[in-house]
């Protein structure tokens, strides 16, 4: 079967760094997406990885290892507004995205 | 704005009623997706359109669910004879063609069946 695993909830301190892991097992692989979703709002696109390595975009970075079926999202200099759910999604064959259940990130002052 | 627009934002219906949910994608976006999202879960795929063609409806839970996109732009998700388990947030997303293109989501319709 197809499976995306990510921790249910994480807590971090304002100004710190947090790493949210995602492991996947899918029948095909056409890239991995990270989305941010605030409660009651739409998911918003953060990053896309299709090749191994680290993609940096401001305070957010995303890493991919295809051989290990593993990705992480790294958030630096955490701000209170970063409190949200972070969703990992893998592009399967064709166009479908297989979604994880999301990691709820709680930022404390 | 230029984002994906969904209406209504909230919908309450009695069990057995029919409902229609509307999605207005970003102009020029070829691909359109419907998802169902339960509280604390990731989106679950329902159906996918490329322009006006419905290429995949394998995620629709039953034949009570029907989606259309007749002119390749606005899409409607219809649920007939609603049941309580249909209560969820229904998200619409659109994207440019291509597997590496991110999907842009609307704010969703929160459907509550009483």
């Amino acid at each position: 079967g197809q499976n995306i695993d990510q921790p249910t909830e994480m807590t971090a301190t304002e100004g710190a760094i947090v790493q949210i892991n995602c492991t996947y097992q899918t029948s095909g692989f056409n890239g991995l997406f990270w989305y941010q979703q605030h409660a009651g709002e739409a998911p918003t696109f953060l990053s896309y990885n299709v090749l191994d390595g680290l993609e940096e975009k401001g305070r957010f970075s995303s890493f991919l290892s295809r051989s290990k079926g593993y990705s992480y999202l790294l958030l630096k200099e955490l701000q209170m507004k970063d409190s949200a759910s972070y969703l990992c999604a893998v592009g399967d064959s064709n166009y479908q995205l297989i979604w994880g259940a999301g990691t709820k990130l709680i930022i404390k002052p | 704005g230029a984002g994906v627009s969904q209406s209504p934002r909230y919908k309450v219906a009695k069990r057995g009623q029919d409902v229609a949910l509307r999605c207005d994608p970003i102009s020029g976006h070829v691909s359109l997706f419907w998802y169902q999202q339960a509280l604390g879960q990731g989106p679950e795929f329902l159906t996918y359109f490329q322009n006006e063609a419905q290429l995949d409806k394998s995620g629709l839970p039953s034949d009570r669910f029907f989606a259309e996109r007749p002119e390749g732009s606005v899409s409607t998700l219809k649920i007939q004879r609603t049941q309580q388990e249909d209560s969820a947030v229904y998200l619409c997303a659109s994207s440019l063609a291509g597997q590496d293109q991110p999907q842009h989501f609307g704010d969703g319709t929160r459907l509550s069946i009483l």
Side-chain angles (χ1 to χ4, degrees):
Chain A
Q2 307 199 97
N3 197 45
I4 309 283
D5 283 318
Q6 43 181 140
T8 303
E9 185 174 298
M10 298 181 72
T11 302
T13 304
E14 190 177 14
I17 299 173
V18 70
Q19 177 175 311
I20 302 175
N21 295 326
C22 170
T23 58
Y24 63 89
Q25 291 177 308
T26 56
S27 57
F29 182 81
N30 284 301
L32 186 144
F33 295 82
W34 282 97
Y35 282 79
Q36 180 191 59
Q37 187 175 27
H38 286 98
E41 297 183 10
T44 55
F45 170 74
L46 290 177
S47 66
Y48 171 73
N49 295 69
V50 67
L51 299 177
D52 290 352
L54 188 68
E55 294 278 345
E56 296 187 76
K57 193 185 293 186
R59 293 189 300 114
F60 292 6
S61 301
S62 56
F63 171 83
L64 175 67
S65 169
R66 289 172 295 171
S67 62
K68 295 180 180 178
Y70 167 71
S71 173
Y72 67 72
L73 181 69
L74 190 72
L75 292 76
K76 303 176 184 176
E77 301 169 15
L78 287 170
Q79 303 175 8
M80 296 303 292
K81 67 178 182 179
D82 297 330
S83 292
S85 286
Y86 291 86
L87 297 159
C88 172
V90 174
D92 194 6
S93 55
N94 300 318
Y95 49 81
Q96 267 205 46
L97 286 183
I98 309 301
W99 293 81
T103 298
K104 182 179 180 181
L105 178 62
I106 300 168
I107 309 297
K108 296 185 175 179
Chain B
V4 178
S5 178
Q6 290 188 247
S7 62
R9 187 72 197 276
Y10 301 93
K11 176 70 179 178
V12 179
K14 292 183 179 179
R15 188 175 57 180
Q17 288 183 330
D18 299 348
V19 298
L21 313 180
R22 176 188 169 101
C23 173
D24 203 335
I26 294 173
S27 178
H29 278 195
V30 170
S31 301
L32 186 144
F33 304 81
W34 282 100
Y35 293 92
Q36 182 188 64
Q37 187 174 28
L39 190 64
Q41 298 296 315
E44 293 281 345
F45 171 81
L46 294 177
T47 188
Y48 160 66
F49 289 86
Q50 185 168 312
N51 295 309
E52 69 278 5
Q54 188 175 21
L55 298 187
D56 189 341
K57 55 182 181 179
S58 63
L60 296 177
S62 76
D63 59 7
R64 297 186 295 104
F65 286 69
F66 171 76
E68 61 182 4
R69 193 185 185 196
E71 297 179 358
S73 178
V74 171
S75 176
T76 303
L77 176 67
K78 298 178 179 178
I79 309 174
Q80 298 175 326
R81 305 180 303 281
T82 53
Q83 300 178 5
Q84 284 192 322
E85 60 261 32
D86 300 335
S87 296
V89 175
Y90 290 85
L91 293 168
C92 175
S94 70
S95 72
L96 295 168
Q99 293 167 349
D100 60 337
Q101 296 299 316
Q103 296 181 19
H104 298 267
F105 285 81
D107 285 336
T109 295
R110 183 175 296 277
L111 176 64
S112 298
I113 305 300
L114 304 179

